[in-house]
Structures are given as structure tokens and as C-alpha cells.
Amino acid sequence: MEALRGEMGIAGVRLDDGQVLKADLYVDASGFESILVGEGLKVPYQSFSPALLCDKAIVGTWPRSGEAIGPHTSVRATDGGWCWQTEHETVIACGHAFSSAHLKEEDAERQLRALYPKAASIRVLKLKQGRYENCWVDNVIAIGSAAAFVEPLASAGPAVLAFACQWMAQSLVDGDRVVRPTIRKQFNKRWRRLVETERDFLSLFYKYNNRSEPFWSESREKAQLGDLEPVVKLYHELGPDSLHRHTLLHENDPLGLEAYFSVMVGQKAPWDIPFEPTQEDREVWQKVQETWRRKAESALTIEETLRMMMSAGPGPAQRPMGRAMQPVA
Ligand SMILES: Cc1cc2nc3c(=O)[nH]c(=O)nc-3n(C[C@H](O)[C@H](O)[C@H](O)COP(=O)(O)OP(=O)(O)OC[C@H]3O[C@@H](n4cnc5c(N)ncnc54)[C@H](O)[C@@H]3O)c2cc1C
């Protein structure tokens, strides 16, 4: 496939059989290939790799055979990266994201196989961490990994992709299906902020790791927290105090102060002012825990949830479009 340049950006796409397809607006959903925005338009790329060191991943799967479906993804640190296990209905997937400067591929694979002896269909992927300067350039909108990628597994990738699709549809409706530079500018600004929030959040895990191997100490030194710098500064003085949440974060921050504080408290990042809960605080906390315990006890199991989802009929994607998403007549 080849992207053809034109005055408006991309003039057409030549398929492998020679056929040329033309459109008014192109969506680049080609993953790491970035065929239109990268190869075609040569939009400058900003790599996050100086701060995020994992540049390769080894992935595998095995068929589920009676193992209970876990309610979460599990992650374990290794000396040159981290391994994960994700739960799916019929298969279990695993992977090892690592820095090739700190761990040889064969050692990364050996570690993965040791942790997940049933893993099969093993393959190696190159990770391209970073983002294009803009995702909407001329008549091309890049979405998902074609526009940006930050660390595997975070679930943030599909979320950013979904937001971009929603904004794209809404932008076209609001702009009467005309590509307007004003909308494009705001779209890019909003998208950049979302990707950078994702990067800064994941950098917290590296910044506050307490391992001693070269990969982890280098990750700690190089982590870039961007807009989270004032959040961590305040945390180091006061602890997880949410009094200034409205000035510390952007109005549309997708994660919220609790997400950042959870990582820092979880990683045992220290703060200056000692906190000693009063008797009243302890009682409130006990009540909160009790409420959560009761909710958890009455929750559905994963198997029950899956059965309900499978028997629920068409999901939101197949239902008729809401008013905001309907095509303009
Ligand atoms: C190792 C790894 C593990 C991950 N784990 C998780 C996870 O557990 N949970 C999670 O939420 N997210 C995870 N992610 C992130 C998630 O995979 C991405 O956010 C998501 O796949 C992005 O979707 P996409 O459609 O933009 O790109 P992709 O899924 O990469 O899809 C791009 C598609 O374009 C096709 N394509 C490219 N070039 C051409 C061409 N010339 N002709 C035809 N087709 C072409 C490719 O074959 C591919 O099918 C992971 C990512 C990686 C790399």
C-alpha cells in the first residue's frame, strides 16, 4: 500500500494490486506502520524513548483449560522490564515488555517462559513509544497506535482511540462535515493532552519504583512527569491531599488526582507532614471498607458477567446511533 501526496494532504491510496482509492478525509488506523500520517505526510514524530525505556515486547498465549478467569491483569517486574498475564474468555495471554539495552532478547524470552510455562505462539514486537506532533494533519486523522503509543497493557491505548473516534464523529457533525482548521487545532490540542496525561501517569510507576537493577534505576532517573510535577511536589509536602485538585489538574483530566495518589501511596512515596488518623477517621474508614466489602460480596463472578453479556443481545455498537452521532442530513 502506498500513500499518494497531494495539495490537500493525501490525494489517494494505491493498493498492492494497483487500484487507487480516493476520499475527502482519510483515517490512518494502520497501527505502528502509520502509513498516512508518518510515511505519507512525514509528520514529525516525538519519541518518548529517552524516558520510557521498553522498546521490545515478547508476547504469547495459551488456550484456557479449566483455569478460573481472573478479574484483573497481573504484572511482575523483571530485571530489564516487566511481564504480564491478561485474562480472556478462551485464551490467556502473556508478555514481557523490556529494554533491549538492558536485557537480551533470548534472556527476555527465557524469563517469560519460566513465568508462564504454557505460553505458545511466542513472537517479538518492536515498541515505538511516542506520538506524532499532531494526529489530524491536512485531510488525515491518525487514530490509535498510528498516532501515538505509550507502554503496552495500560488499556489507555484503546481509550484514547475511542475518544478520538468520538471527537472525530462529533467534529464532522458540528462542522457540517467540512474539515475546519479551528476544529482541527482544538482536536490536536485535546489529543496531545490526553496522550501526555497517559505518558505522565505511566511514568509515575517508573519514577517511584524501588528496585536496584540498572533498568529500574535508569527508569527512575529518566522518568518525565510533565504536568504531574506540581502534583508530586505537593504530595511530597502534604501527602495525598486533594484540597487543590481544581488548580493542580486540567479540567478534563481523564484520570483524576486519586489515580496519581494511588500510585504514589502504593509505591510508598514519602511525604513531610506525618498523618495520624483520629478515632473518628478510623471509624469512617472502617465504614467505607465495610460498604465495599458488602458490594464485592454481592457482585457477579466473571463467569456470570460473561454469560450475561453474551446473552444480552446487541451491544452499544450495534444499537441505533444516538442523536449526537446521527449523520447530518
Ligand atoms: C505488546 C502489546 C500489548 C498490549 N496489551 C494491551 C492490553 O492488554 N490491553 C489493552 O487495552 N491494550 C493493550 N495494548 C494496546 C492495544 O493493543 C492498542 O491500543 C490497540 O491495538 C491499538 O489499535 P489500533 O487499531 O490503533 O492498532 P493495531 O491494533 O496495531 O491495528 C492496526 C492494523 O492495521 C493493519 N495494517 C497495517 N498496515 C497495513 C497495510 N499496509 N495494509 C493493511 N492493513 C494494515 C495491521 O495489520 C493491524 O491489524 C497492547 C499493545 C501492545 C503493543
Side-chain angles (χ1 to χ4, degrees), residues 1 16 28-35 57-59 73 84 86 88 95 97 125-127 143-149 151-159 161:
M1 186 190 287
D16 292 346
D28 187 345
S30 60
F32 288 141
E33 303 282 328
S34 307
I35 292 173
I58 299 188
V59 296
T73 291
W84 70 81
T86 55
H88 307 264
L125 305 172
K126 270 195 179 162
L127 302 178
I143 57 167
S145 307
F149 179 78
E151 299 283 300
L153 208 67
S155 295
L161 198 162

Short mmCIF file of all heavy atoms in Angstrom, two decimals, residues 1 16 28-35 57-59 73 84 86 88 95 97 125-127 143-149 151-159 161, ligand 1:
data_model
loop_
_atom_site.label_atom_id
_atom_site.label_comp_id
_atom_site.label_asym_id
_atom_site.label_seq_id
_atom_site.Cartn_x
_atom_site.Cartn_y
_atom_site.Cartn_z
N MET A 1 0.85 -1.20 0.00
CA MET A 1 0.00 0.00 0.00
C MET A 1 0.88 1.25 0.00
O MET A 1 1.90 1.29 0.67
CB MET A 1 -0.89 -0.01 1.25
CG MET A 1 -1.89 1.10 1.27
SD MET A 1 -2.71 1.24 2.85
CE MET A 1 -3.79 -0.18 2.80
N ASP A 16 -1.97 -2.67 -3.18
CA ASP A 16 -0.94 -3.53 -3.75
C ASP A 16 -1.29 -3.99 -5.17
O ASP A 16 -0.41 -4.25 -5.99
CB ASP A 16 -0.71 -4.77 -2.85
CG ASP A 16 -0.07 -4.36 -1.53
OD1 ASP A 16 0.42 -3.21 -1.46
OD2 ASP A 16 -0.07 -5.16 -0.58
N ASP A 28 -6.14 7.21 9.34
CA ASP A 28 -4.98 6.31 9.40
C ASP A 28 -5.11 5.43 10.65
O ASP A 28 -4.93 5.92 11.77
CB ASP A 28 -3.68 7.13 9.46
CG ASP A 28 -2.44 6.25 9.35
OD1 ASP A 28 -2.57 5.02 9.52
OD2 ASP A 28 -1.35 6.80 9.10
N ALA A 29 -5.47 4.17 10.43
CA ALA A 29 -5.61 3.23 11.55
C ALA A 29 -4.65 2.06 11.32
O ALA A 29 -4.97 0.92 11.63
CB ALA A 29 -7.05 2.74 11.65
N SER A 30 -3.45 2.39 10.81
CA SER A 30 -2.52 1.31 10.41
C SER A 30 -1.56 0.92 11.53
O SER A 30 -0.54 0.30 11.26
CB SER A 30 -1.74 1.75 9.16
OG SER A 30 -1.00 2.92 9.43
N GLY A 31 -1.87 1.27 12.78
CA GLY A 31 -1.02 0.86 13.89
C GLY A 31 0.37 1.48 13.77
O GLY A 31 0.52 2.60 13.25
N PHE A 32 1.41 0.75 14.24
CA PHE A 32 2.77 1.29 14.25
C PHE A 32 3.26 1.68 12.85
O PHE A 32 4.23 2.40 12.71
CB PHE A 32 3.75 0.27 14.84
CG PHE A 32 3.60 0.09 16.35
CD1 PHE A 32 3.73 -1.17 16.93
CD2 PHE A 32 3.38 1.17 17.17
CE1 PHE A 32 3.61 -1.34 18.30
CE2 PHE A 32 3.26 1.03 18.55
CZ PHE A 32 3.38 -0.24 19.11
N GLU A 33 2.63 1.17 11.79
CA GLU A 33 3.07 1.48 10.43
C GLU A 33 2.85 2.97 10.11
O GLU A 33 3.58 3.54 9.32
CB GLU A 33 2.26 0.66 9.40
CG GLU A 33 2.32 -0.84 9.59
CD GLU A 33 3.61 -1.43 9.08
OE1 GLU A 33 4.15 -0.89 8.11
OE2 GLU A 33 4.08 -2.41 9.68
N SER A 34 1.82 3.56 10.68
CA SER A 34 1.47 4.98 10.42
C SER A 34 1.62 5.33 8.93
O SER A 34 2.34 6.26 8.56
CB SER A 34 2.36 5.91 11.25
OG SER A 34 2.31 5.56 12.60
N ILE A 35 0.92 4.59 8.10
CA ILE A 35 1.14 4.70 6.66
C ILE A 35 0.82 6.09 6.10
O ILE A 35 1.53 6.60 5.23
CB ILE A 35 0.31 3.61 5.93
CG1 ILE A 35 0.88 2.24 6.26
CG2 ILE A 35 0.31 3.82 4.42
CD1 ILE A 35 0.07 1.09 5.76
N ALA A 57 8.78 -6.13 22.95
CA ALA A 57 7.91 -6.98 23.77
C ALA A 57 7.89 -8.37 23.16
O ALA A 57 7.93 -8.51 21.93
CB ALA A 57 6.50 -6.41 23.82
N ILE A 58 7.88 -9.39 24.03
CA ILE A 58 7.70 -10.77 23.58
C ILE A 58 6.33 -11.18 24.09
O ILE A 58 6.04 -11.02 25.28
CB ILE A 58 8.78 -11.69 24.15
CG1 ILE A 58 10.15 -11.20 23.66
CG2 ILE A 58 8.57 -13.12 23.72
CD1 ILE A 58 11.29 -12.11 24.00
N VAL A 59 5.49 -11.66 23.19
CA VAL A 59 4.12 -11.99 23.60
C VAL A 59 3.79 -13.44 23.27
O VAL A 59 4.39 -14.03 22.38
CB VAL A 59 3.08 -11.04 22.94
CG1 VAL A 59 3.28 -9.61 23.40
CG2 VAL A 59 3.15 -11.11 21.42
N THR A 73 -5.62 -8.04 35.43
CA THR A 73 -4.35 -8.35 34.76
C THR A 73 -3.27 -8.39 35.83
O THR A 73 -3.27 -7.55 36.72
CB THR A 73 -4.05 -7.22 33.76
OG1 THR A 73 -5.00 -7.31 32.71
CG2 THR A 73 -2.65 -7.29 33.20
N TRP A 84 3.49 -9.60 31.98
CA TRP A 84 2.07 -9.51 32.31
C TRP A 84 1.32 -10.77 31.91
O TRP A 84 1.76 -11.52 31.05
CB TRP A 84 1.43 -8.31 31.62
CG TRP A 84 1.30 -8.44 30.12
CD1 TRP A 84 0.33 -9.11 29.44
CD2 TRP A 84 2.15 -7.90 29.12
NE1 TRP A 84 0.51 -8.99 28.08
CE2 TRP A 84 1.64 -8.25 27.86
CE3 TRP A 84 3.34 -7.13 29.15
CZ2 TRP A 84 2.24 -7.89 26.65
CZ3 TRP A 84 3.93 -6.76 27.96
CH2 TRP A 84 3.37 -7.14 26.74
N THR A 86 -2.76 -11.49 30.89
CA THR A 86 -4.11 -10.92 30.73
C THR A 86 -5.10 -12.05 30.51
O THR A 86 -4.79 -13.09 29.92
CB THR A 86 -4.19 -9.93 29.55
OG1 THR A 86 -3.75 -10.58 28.37
CG2 THR A 86 -3.37 -8.69 29.79
N HIS A 88 -8.57 -13.67 29.10
CA HIS A 88 -9.57 -13.61 28.02
C HIS A 88 -10.46 -14.84 28.18
O HIS A 88 -10.12 -15.77 28.90
CB HIS A 88 -8.88 -13.61 26.65
CG HIS A 88 -7.84 -12.53 26.54
ND1 HIS A 88 -8.09 -11.32 25.96
CD2 HIS A 88 -6.56 -12.48 26.97
CE1 HIS A 88 -7.01 -10.56 26.04
NE2 HIS A 88 -6.06 -11.24 26.66
N GLY A 95 3.01 -11.58 28.26
CA GLY A 95 4.02 -10.83 27.51
C GLY A 95 5.10 -10.33 28.43
O GLY A 95 4.99 -10.37 29.65
N ALA A 97 7.50 -6.90 28.34
CA ALA A 97 7.99 -5.66 27.74
C ALA A 97 9.35 -5.40 28.36
O ALA A 97 9.50 -5.48 29.58
CB ALA A 97 7.04 -4.52 28.06
N LEU A 125 7.83 -8.21 19.26
CA LEU A 125 7.34 -6.97 18.65
C LEU A 125 8.27 -5.83 19.01
O LEU A 125 8.83 -5.82 20.11
CB LEU A 125 5.95 -6.60 19.21
CG LEU A 125 4.83 -7.62 19.13
CD1 LEU A 125 3.63 -7.11 19.91
CD2 LEU A 125 4.45 -7.84 17.67
N LYS A 126 8.42 -4.90 18.08
CA LYS A 126 9.15 -3.67 18.42
C LYS A 126 8.16 -2.66 18.92
O LYS A 126 7.08 -2.51 18.34
CB LYS A 126 9.80 -3.10 17.15
CG LYS A 126 11.17 -3.63 16.92
CD LYS A 126 11.86 -2.78 15.89
CE LYS A 126 13.26 -3.33 15.69
NZ LYS A 126 13.86 -2.87 14.48
N LEU A 127 8.47 -1.98 19.99
CA LEU A 127 7.55 -0.96 20.50
C LEU A 127 8.06 0.42 20.10
O LEU A 127 9.25 0.72 20.28
CB LEU A 127 7.48 -1.03 22.03
CG LEU A 127 7.04 -2.36 22.64
CD1 LEU A 127 7.07 -2.26 24.16
CD2 LEU A 127 5.63 -2.72 22.18
N ILE A 143 -5.49 7.61 14.15
CA ILE A 143 -6.06 7.18 15.44
C ILE A 143 -5.28 5.98 15.98
O ILE A 143 -4.59 5.29 15.23
CB ILE A 143 -7.57 6.82 15.31
CG1 ILE A 143 -7.77 5.72 14.26
CG2 ILE A 143 -8.40 8.05 14.99
CD1 ILE A 143 -9.16 5.11 14.30
N GLY A 144 -5.42 5.73 17.27
CA GLY A 144 -4.79 4.57 17.89
C GLY A 144 -3.28 4.63 17.78
O GLY A 144 -2.67 5.70 17.82
N SER A 145 -2.67 3.45 17.59
CA SER A 145 -1.21 3.37 17.58
C SER A 145 -0.61 4.04 16.35
O SER A 145 0.60 4.27 16.31
CB SER A 145 -0.75 1.91 17.62
OG SER A 145 -1.34 1.23 18.69
N ALA A 146 -1.41 4.35 15.34
CA ALA A 146 -0.88 5.08 14.18
C ALA A 146 -0.52 6.50 14.59
O ALA A 146 0.31 7.15 13.96
CB ALA A 146 -1.91 5.11 13.05
N ALA A 147 -1.17 7.01 15.65
CA ALA A 147 -0.93 8.39 16.08
C ALA A 147 0.03 8.44 17.27
O ALA A 147 0.89 9.32 17.34
CB ALA A 147 -2.26 9.03 16.48
N ALA A 148 -0.13 7.52 18.20
CA ALA A 148 0.68 7.56 19.43
C ALA A 148 0.65 6.19 20.10
O ALA A 148 -0.32 5.44 19.94
CB ALA A 148 0.12 8.59 20.40
N PHE A 149 1.69 5.91 20.87
CA PHE A 149 1.69 4.67 21.65
C PHE A 149 2.51 4.90 22.92
O PHE A 149 3.60 5.45 22.88
CB PHE A 149 2.30 3.51 20.85
CG PHE A 149 2.34 2.23 21.62
CD1 PHE A 149 1.19 1.46 21.77
CD2 PHE A 149 3.51 1.79 22.22
CE1 PHE A 149 1.21 0.29 22.52
CE2 PHE A 149 3.54 0.61 22.97
CZ PHE A 149 2.38 -0.14 23.10
N GLU A 151 3.51 2.48 26.21
CA GLU A 151 3.52 1.25 27.02
C GLU A 151 2.36 0.30 26.70
O GLU A 151 1.21 0.73 26.64
CB GLU A 151 3.42 1.58 28.52
CG GLU A 151 4.56 2.41 29.04
CD GLU A 151 5.83 1.63 29.26
OE1 GLU A 151 5.83 0.68 30.06
OE2 GLU A 151 6.83 1.97 28.63
N PRO A 152 2.65 -0.97 26.55
CA PRO A 152 1.57 -1.93 26.34
C PRO A 152 0.69 -2.03 27.58
O PRO A 152 1.11 -1.60 28.67
CB PRO A 152 2.28 -3.25 26.10
CG PRO A 152 3.71 -3.03 26.33
CD PRO A 152 3.96 -1.59 26.63
N LEU A 153 -0.49 -2.60 27.43
CA LEU A 153 -1.27 -3.06 28.56
C LEU A 153 -2.09 -2.05 29.34
O LEU A 153 -3.00 -2.41 30.07
CB LEU A 153 -0.30 -3.71 29.57
CG LEU A 153 -0.83 -4.79 30.46
CD1 LEU A 153 -1.17 -5.99 29.63
CD2 LEU A 153 0.14 -5.14 31.54
N ALA A 154 -1.77 -0.76 29.21
CA ALA A 154 -2.38 0.19 30.13
C ALA A 154 -3.88 0.36 29.91
O ALA A 154 -4.54 1.02 30.70
CB ALA A 154 -1.69 1.53 30.03
N SER A 155 -4.41 -0.19 28.84
CA SER A 155 -5.82 -0.01 28.47
C SER A 155 -6.08 1.43 28.08
O SER A 155 -7.18 1.78 27.68
CB SER A 155 -6.80 -0.36 29.59
OG SER A 155 -6.69 -1.72 29.85
N ALA A 156 -5.08 2.28 28.25
CA ALA A 156 -5.26 3.68 27.90
C ALA A 156 -5.28 3.81 26.37
O ALA A 156 -5.97 4.67 25.83
CB ALA A 156 -4.15 4.52 28.50
N GLY A 157 -4.51 2.93 25.68
CA GLY A 157 -4.46 3.00 24.21
C GLY A 157 -5.85 2.91 23.59
O GLY A 157 -6.28 3.82 22.87
N PRO A 158 -6.61 1.83 23.89
CA PRO A 158 -7.96 1.74 23.34
C PRO A 158 -8.86 2.88 23.79
O PRO A 158 -9.74 3.31 23.06
CB PRO A 158 -8.47 0.39 23.86
CG PRO A 158 -7.23 -0.40 24.12
CD PRO A 158 -6.20 0.59 24.55
N ALA A 159 -8.63 3.40 25.01
CA ALA A 159 -9.47 4.51 25.49
C ALA A 159 -9.20 5.77 24.67
O ALA A 159 -10.13 6.43 24.22
CB ALA A 159 -9.20 4.77 26.98
N LEU A 161 -8.04 5.87 21.70
CA LEU A 161 -8.56 5.58 20.36
C LEU A 161 -10.08 5.84 20.31
O LEU A 161 -10.60 6.48 19.39
CB LEU A 161 -8.26 4.11 20.05
CG LEU A 161 -8.32 3.63 18.60
CD1 LEU A 161 -7.57 2.32 18.47
CD2 LEU A 161 -9.68 3.49 18.03
C1 LIG B 1 2.51 -5.86 23.15
C2 LIG B 1 1.26 -5.08 23.36
C3 LIG B 1 0.35 -5.48 24.35
C4 LIG B 1 -0.82 -4.74 24.58
N1 LIG B 1 -1.67 -5.15 25.54
C5 LIG B 1 -2.80 -4.46 25.79
C6 LIG B 1 -3.74 -4.89 26.77
O1 LIG B 1 -3.56 -5.91 27.42
N2 LIG B 1 -4.84 -4.13 26.98
C7 LIG B 1 -5.08 -3.01 26.24
O2 LIG B 1 -6.10 -2.39 26.45
N3 LIG B 1 -4.22 -2.60 25.28
C8 LIG B 1 -3.10 -3.29 25.03
N4 LIG B 1 -2.23 -2.86 24.07
C9 LIG B 1 -2.56 -1.65 23.31
C10 LIG B 1 -3.50 -2.01 22.17
O3 LIG B 1 -3.01 -3.14 21.51
C11 LIG B 1 -3.56 -0.84 21.20
O4 LIG B 1 -4.02 0.30 21.91
C12 LIG B 1 -4.52 -1.13 20.07
O5 LIG B 1 -4.21 -2.35 19.42
C13 LIG B 1 -4.44 -0.03 19.04
O6 LIG B 1 -5.30 -0.35 17.98
P1 LIG B 1 -5.01 0.16 16.52
O7 LIG B 1 -6.18 -0.26 15.71
O8 LIG B 1 -4.64 1.59 16.54
O9 LIG B 1 -3.68 -0.59 16.04
P2 LIG B 1 -3.45 -2.14 15.74
O10 LIG B 1 -4.22 -2.98 16.70
O11 LIG B 1 -1.98 -2.30 15.66
O12 LIG B 1 -4.12 -2.34 14.30
C14 LIG B 1 -3.53 -1.83 13.12
C15 LIG B 1 -3.96 -2.74 11.99
O13 LIG B 1 -3.57 -2.18 10.74
C16 LIG B 1 -3.12 -3.22 9.94
N5 LIG B 1 -2.25 -2.70 8.86
C17 LIG B 1 -1.10 -2.03 8.99
N6 LIG B 1 -0.57 -1.77 7.79
C18 LIG B 1 -1.42 -2.28 6.88
C19 LIG B 1 -1.43 -2.34 5.46
N7 LIG B 1 -0.47 -1.81 4.71
N8 LIG B 1 -2.47 -2.96 4.86
C20 LIG B 1 -3.48 -3.50 5.58
N9 LIG B 1 -3.52 -3.48 6.92
C21 LIG B 1 -2.51 -2.88 7.55
C22 LIG B 1 -2.39 -4.14 10.88
O14 LIG B 1 -2.26 -5.44 10.33
C23 LIG B 1 -3.31 -4.12 12.09
O15 LIG B 1 -4.30 -5.10 12.02
C24 LIG B 1 -1.07 -3.58 23.81
C25 LIG B 1 -0.17 -3.18 22.82
C26 LIG B 1 0.99 -3.93 22.59
C27 LIG B 1 1.95 -3.49 21.51
#
